[in-house]
Amino acid sequence: FGKSGVLVGNPRLEPEKAFNRDIGFRFARSTATSWLADVGLECSYFDTDVDQLVFLRAVGQVTVRPENLDSARVRGEEVSARGRLWDRVGLVANYTHQDARNTGDTNVKTHDKRVPGLPADEVYARVELAWSPSTPLPKRFG
């Protein structure tokens, strides 16, 4: 797990073991309007108990080393949406909120504290333009 650069390897690293629970729903529709298609919305809740969680611990100003945390609980929600405009422009967006807590360490300073390196919030978005020789863009774009 890492051997050069800012990531220092750790030969004593143990594999993670987890018990995952999640629940959610998905809405999808192939055609919503004449200009909007492939519409989808997903929402989910997750709750994970992890033994030997692998996280990156800072060991210098620019150096990190993967280490194991005895146990952790990661809970959160995720929402994602997608759609295609005029059968050419694809839109995808995703938002995740999670609370990752150290549940194994009995040290008062670190017990029930956030796990380093696991962000509370993450956002992802992508825009795609679809075209090919068999389906070229309209003349006004070319």
Side-chain angles (χ1 to χ4, degrees):
F1 202 102
K3 64 179 183 177
S4 65
V6 296
L7 185 63
V8 177
N10 183 352
R12 290 179 278 144
L13 203 59
E14 296 290 328
E16 292 181 347
K17 299 175 195 110
F19 181 71
N20 303 305
R21 298 167 292 281
D22 57 18
I23 188 167
F25 72 88
R26 178 177 182 229
F27 167 80
R29 190 162 186 174
S30 59
T31 304
T33 66
S34 61
W35 54 272
L36 181 61
D38 191 26
V39 176
L41 175 68
E42 296 181 28
C43 297
S44 62
Y45 171 80
F46 56 90
D47 184 357
T48 304
D49 293 316
V50 186
D51 292 329
Q52 301 304 322
L53 175 76
V54 175
F55 74 103
L56 297 176
R57 180 183 301 275
V59 293
Q61 287 184 339
V62 295
T63 308
V64 293
R65 178 179 60 226
E67 292 189 3
N68 289 110
L69 193 61
D70 288 340
S71 67
R73 175 169 238 173
V74 183
R75 293 179 177 170
E77 305 83 28
E78 186 169 64
V79 177
S80 62
R82 72 172 194 281
R84 185 159 294 284
L85 303 172
W86 302 287
D87 204 33
R88 295 282 185 184
V89 180
L91 306 169
V92 177
N94 183 50
Y95 170 72
T96 303
H97 172 76
Q98 67 182 359
D99 183 29
R101 298 280 171 173
N102 179 347
T103 58
D105 198 342
T106 56
N107 183 335
V108 175
K109 292 182 179 180
T110 56
H111 182 73
D112 201 36
K113 300 292 190 244
R114 294 193 52 78
V115 176
L118 294 180
D121 298 287
E122 286 186 279
V123 176
Y124 171 81
R126 181 177 74 226
V127 177
E128 303 170 339
L129 178 61
W131 66 275
S132 70
S134 63
T135 57
L137 292 174
K139 293 289 184 198
R140 64 179 177 249
F141 292 114

